[in-house]
Amino acid sequence: MSEATSALHEDSRSFAPSPEFTAQANAGDLSIYDKAAADPEAFWAGYAEQLDWFQKWTKVLDWDAPHAKWFVDGKLNVSYNCVDRHAKGERADKVAMIFEGEPGDVRKITYAELYDEVNRLANALKSLGVTKGDRVSIYLPMIPELPISLLACTRIGAIHSVVFGGFSVESLRDRVNDCGAKLIITSDGGWRRGNVVALKKTADEAAVDCPNVEKMVVVKRIGAEKAPVTMEAGRDFWYDELLAAAEPVCEPEWMDSEDPLFVLYTSGSTGKPKGIQHTTGGYLTGVYTTSKLIFDLKDNDIFWCTADVGWVTGHSYIVYGPLANGATMVVYEGSPDTPARDRFWRVIEKHKVTVFYTAPTAIRTFMKWGDALPNSCDLSTIRLMGTVGEPINPEAWLWYNDVIGKGKAPICDTWWQTETGHIMIAPLPGLVATKPGSATRPFPGITADVVNDHGDPVPVGTKGYLVVNKPWPGMLRTLWQDDARYKQVYWSRFPGRYLTGDGAVKDADGYFWLMGRIDDIMLVAGHNISTMELESALVEHPAVAEAAVIGKAHDVKGQSPVAFVIVREGYHADDALATELKKFVGKKLGPVCRPDDILFTADLPKTRSGKIMRRLLRDIAEGRVLGDTTTLADPNIVASLKDKYTSDEG
Ligand code: ATP
Ligand code: MG
């Protein structure tokens, strides 16, 4: 990457924490950063000690780059830490999970009830032949049985691999086969926009080509009338029947700190999904600590992370982080616009959500839908908000702050990856002043940097590669059965340092500004321009709801920026607007940044976790055959965009 500066942060406002928040912050005071930097291993070990270990570790870290072992020789069980220690103590009758189904059904599960169900399912899995080290694929909607299945696997030492409940036969089959699962947990279906998603049917079709799969456990979510299923004798078992027959107590397996906990495939926005492998002790310590300090979880909080458990945010901040803290978390099954576009705000109002964690893509959608919907709901319980998944453009940040947080809830923009296991860069609420669009500074104990092609730190305001300098507890240990790819992808570019694949800039205050994927940075007439900067500029225009920018190959300039734009309700997508937008961007960021083409669209191709798939937009703009589309939320969008692009061009 040749050096180029970024204008993004220059006129940024800063939001100081309120003294009231500071006074009660779990993170204490700013000295936490210096203490952690002076001795990161002691910092992490201090939090690991707050977990329950059957046998204590002999050494905190064993680092033989690029392989780390955390809490060496320590023995623990994740379900024990997330369930037993609360269920057997003062939190037995505390609600662990508030589930709301899309049709409006609500189920509240206490820690004592969670204990019972996790234990029974663990015994049921054992009775079906699952033992320590076996892989179990989980293909479920967002229902209580999803977190429960994860916990039951951890109880017996089975390695879970969750596959998002909206994925196709092909995506499911590939993931099941890649990890060699012998059992699939699925359901007759789930609700999505008032329709039944027939998961068992998809699982049946996938299983035809999954030679390792011996058994299937089926949760009854919908019922035979709307979701008839075929149960294959000897292979398929009803979840509720298994639980009713199971022994109520299953002793937790003593897992080594470095035993694998789960394999999860990345969202595939940059290429073929990678099987990220996480282990037990370090991961749990990382998600426990970050949940406690960043989401500031207190016993009376109601925490709602809107992600799906099908991706890492759901693993770390719906299931393991909050439960390890004994928190109450919300699980919502359906879409944000069913029955109406105020559904999320209604969920917050009804369950009195205090900490809310969502994604920029959702925030931009809510902005597009207008302020009246959130304004008509009582959101006064919200005291803290988070965002994750993509860089958040300042415009969306400010809207989130004003309309949802009413200016009183600090915003934690959290940068991390499936690979990192837990949040890596984010403000500690109450301690760190925030700036719209910046994830602020690395979490205590994490050393990140922005470097040039030679691995040297770049000057303030200059774009470079985001790297992590030292191992951290929740880091991936390898890629499932592909250590060579692990070394090559993450550790070969700058030996000893983890390559995140993202570009970033540091400002004069040491704040990190994420610039998106390195692959998404364009080289236009010799200038490095991040697609994210152009997108942020476009979204500042009142007519633009959302934008995706890519660099299209260009004979003279190398690459030329092309923008795909979704127009806000009430605006007209026509040539005049396209011209105006080109000028608008040129004026804001300089003439080289002016997009050459603007294509109006109703939708953008996104992964199931809501990330824009720029590589597919590049394929479209450059007239190539589309790459892997299996992780797309709606494959029809790319097909129609391709048609539209070709007809506009020709
Ligand atoms: P693949 O690696 O297969 O392309 P993916 O990277 O989209 O998939 P995830 O691990 O879910 O899959 O996403 C992590 C990426 O999301 C980060 O590398 C970064 O690009 C982006 N990201 C996540 N949170 C933030 C954030 N707060 N600010 C900026 N970017 C973010
Ligand atoms: Mg990635």
Side-chain angles (χ1 to χ4, degrees):
M1 203 185 297
S2 68
E3 298 195 355
T5 53
S6 165
L8 190 71
H9 59 269
E10 277 166 8
D11 54 356
S12 162
R13 289 162 63 189
S14 171
F15 290 73
S18 75
E20 298 78 53
F21 202 103
T22 309
Q24 59 83 67
N26 280 354
D29 59 58
L30 283 167
S31 68
I32 190 172
Y33 285 100
D34 293 337
K35 277 188 213 142
D39 192 346
E41 290 177 33
F43 170 80
W44 291 114
Y47 284 96
E49 272 163 15
Q50 297 180 17
L51 299 171
D52 284 2
W53 296 75
F54 299 135
Q55 179 183 302
K56 199 172 165 183
W57 58 89
T58 54
K59 195 176 173 197
V60 176
L61 171 66
D62 185 351
W63 178 228
D64 179 9
H67 295 111
K69 290 188 180 131
W70 281 87
F71 308 113
V72 182
D73 300 325
K75 309 277 182 224
L76 76 167
N77 182 280
V78 169
S79 81
Y80 184 90
N81 276 283
C82 291
V83 185
D84 300 38
R85 62 185 188 139
H86 313 302
K88 299 292 169 198
E90 284 170 6
R91 296 194 181 105
D93 297 323
K94 177 176 174 175
V95 173
M97 193 191 318
I98 302 174
F99 166 70
E100 180 164 318
E102 196 184 76
D105 50 321
V106 170
R107 182 180 165 201
K108 294 187 180 176
I109 301 174
T110 64
Y111 274 97
E113 290 162 343
L114 187 63
Y115 175 86
D116 183 63
E117 199 158 327
V118 168
N119 273 264
R120 286 176 189 273
L121 180 59
N123 278 328
L125 293 175
K126 273 188 178 170
S127 74
L128 296 177
V130 179
T131 56
K132 183 174 169 178
D134 284 344
R135 274 80 61 211
V136 171
S137 288
I138 301 176
Y139 184 60
L140 283 172
M142 282 284 286
I143 54 177
E145 291 80 359
L146 177 50
I148 289 167
S149 295
L150 271 66
L151 292 164
C153 286
T154 72
R155 194 158 193 92
I156 61 174
I159 302 167
H160 61 70
S161 182
V162 181
V163 180
F164 176 75
F167 276 161
S168 64
V169 173
E170 189 189 7
S171 308
L172 175 62
R173 185 196 58 208
D174 291 352
R175 286 166 179 72
V176 170
N177 285 337
D178 192 76
C179 74
K182 68 195 280 197
L183 184 142
I184 299 176
I185 305 179
T186 186
S187 73
D188 58 352
W191 290 105
R192 189 79 196 170
R193 290 213 166 81
N195 299 315
V196 173
V197 182
L199 296 170
K200 168 73 161 81
K201 210 165 146 265
T202 307
D204 285 341
E205 285 173 40
V208 172
D209 297 312
C210 298
N212 290 315
V213 173
E214 296 162 11
K215 301 280 193 304
M216 235 189 254
V217 175
V218 187
V219 178
K220 200 177 284 160
R221 164 68 183 139
I222 308 287
E225 198 187 314
K226 294 203 170 75
V229 297
T230 326
M231 297 291 278
E232 193 182 302
R235 188 195 68 176
D236 300 349
F237 300 85
W238 287 108
Y239 178 98
D240 50 359
E241 289 175 10
L242 286 171
L243 257 62
E247 289 293 326
V249 177
C250 172
E251 286 306 320
E253 196 75 36
W254 284 35
M255 301 301 289
D256 188 88
S257 181
E258 281 301 321
D259 276 335
L261 180 65
F262 64 83
V263 176
L264 180 65
Y265 293 84
T266 55
S267 79
S269 31
T270 51
K272 185 179 176 288
K274 301 174 277 283
I276 306 296
Q277 186 176 319
H278 283 289
T279 59
T280 306
Y283 172 81
L284 193 65
T285 302
V287 296
Y288 168 75
T289 311
T290 48
S291 297
K292 187 177 178 121
L293 303 190
I294 296 170
F295 298 117
D296 196 50
L297 294 175
K298 305 284 196 299
D299 246 328
N300 52 0
D301 273 315
I302 309 287
F303 179 49
W304 185 21
C305 164
T306 69
D308 194 284
V309 176
W311 64 297
V312 75
T313 303
H315 283 60
S316 300
Y317 299 108
I318 292 179
V319 187
Y320 296 123
L323 294 179
N325 278 279
T328 301
M329 49 86 168
V330 173
V331 171
Y332 169 60
E333 177 186 30
S335 82
D337 55 356
T338 307
R341 289 174 166 183
D342 61 358
R343 185 61 185 266
F344 272 25
W345 320 127
R346 294 282 165 215
V347 169
I348 291 174
E349 180 177 70
K350 183 165 176 184
H351 302 297
K352 303 192 165 36
V353 170
T354 58
V355 183
F356 180 60
Y357 189 29
T358 194
T361 178
I363 297 167
R364 286 189 298 263
T365 305
F366 298 139
M367 275 176 84
K368 187 169 69 180
W369 290 345
D371 300 4
L373 298 166
N375 285 344
S376 70
C377 296
D378 180 5
L379 305 180
S380 62
T381 49
I382 296 181
R383 65 176 196 93
L384 174 63
M385 304 189 299
T387 136
V388 62
E390 285 182 295
I392 180 162
N393 44 294
E395 197 72 8
W397 195 104
L398 291 168
W399 183 87
Y400 197 32
N401 184 64
D402 297 344
V403 180
I404 307 304
K406 314 289 180 206
K408 68 172 177 56
I411 296 180
C412 295
D413 176 2
T414 64
W415 178 89
W416 60 296
Q417 309 176 301
T418 310
E419 292 89 338
T420 68
H422 51 79
I423 298 169
M424 300 290 277
I425 303 180
L428 286 176
L431 272 56
V432 175
T434 53
K435 300 183 191 183
S438 168
T440 76
R441 52 191 291 186
F443 190 77
I446 302 292
T447 336
D449 216 338
V450 182
V451 301
N452 64 16
D453 284 317
H454 311 290
D456 306 318
V458 295
V460 164
T462 304
K463 280 172 218 163
Y465 303 92
L466 178 66
V467 295
V468 184
N469 290 337
K470 287 191 179 134
W472 64 99
M475 66 189 273
L476 78 166
R477 297 302 193 260
T478 188
L479 293 178
W480 181 253
Q481 293 191 329
D482 198 352
D483 201 52
R485 190 174 176 208
Y486 166 73
K487 289 181 183 152
Q488 192 267 321
V489 172
Y490 305 105
W491 302 95
S492 62
R493 186 78 183 72
F494 304 113
R497 284 190 286 182
Y498 172 80
L499 179 73
T500 66
D502 286 348
V505 169
K506 260 164 93 170
D507 71 13
D509 296 326
Y511 278 43
F512 285 71
W513 296 75
L514 277 302
M515 293 284 141
R517 315 320 174 91
I518 294 167
D519 306 3
D520 289 339
I521 292 180
M522 303 175 285
L523 191 60
V524 183
H527 300 266
N528 266 311
I529 302 172
S530 91
T531 53
M532 185 256 158
E533 287 171 286
L534 261 78
E535 289 160 8
S536 272
L538 281 163
V539 174
E540 274 183 45
H541 190 282
V544 178
E546 191 154 13
V549 172
I550 52 123
K552 177 186 175 180
H554 188 280
D555 293 345
V556 183
K557 294 198 273 189
Q559 280 184 309
S560 82
V562 174
F564 295 76
V565 169
I566 302 179
V567 169
R568 265 195 204 232
E569 265 153 46
Y571 286 88
H572 216 68
D574 53 17
D575 288 349
L577 180 61
T579 313
E580 188 183 322
L581 290 178
K582 287 180 193 171
K583 272 200 207 134
F584 183 79
V585 174
K587 218 166 138 195
K588 248 200 107 60
L589 299 177
V592 264
C593 292
R594 234 178 107 109
D596 286 336
D597 271 322
I598 291 197
L599 189 85
F600 294 110
T601 168
D603 269 309
L604 289 166
K606 287 182 184 166
T607 64
R608 297 308 302 214
S609 50
K611 295 168 197 287
I612 299 168
M613 282 246 230
R614 291 184 191 74
R615 69 175 162 85
L616 293 179
L617 295 174
R618 275 194 299 269
D619 290 345
I620 292 172
E622 295 176 355
R624 267 193 304 277
V625 178
L626 297 177
D628 186 357
T629 58
T630 51
T631 63
L632 274 181
D634 179 357
N636 296 322
I637 293 172
V638 270
S640 67
L641 259 178
K642 201 172 159 82
D643 288 349
K644 187 160 185 224
Y645 197 89
T646 330
S647 65
D648 280 16
E649 287 276 277

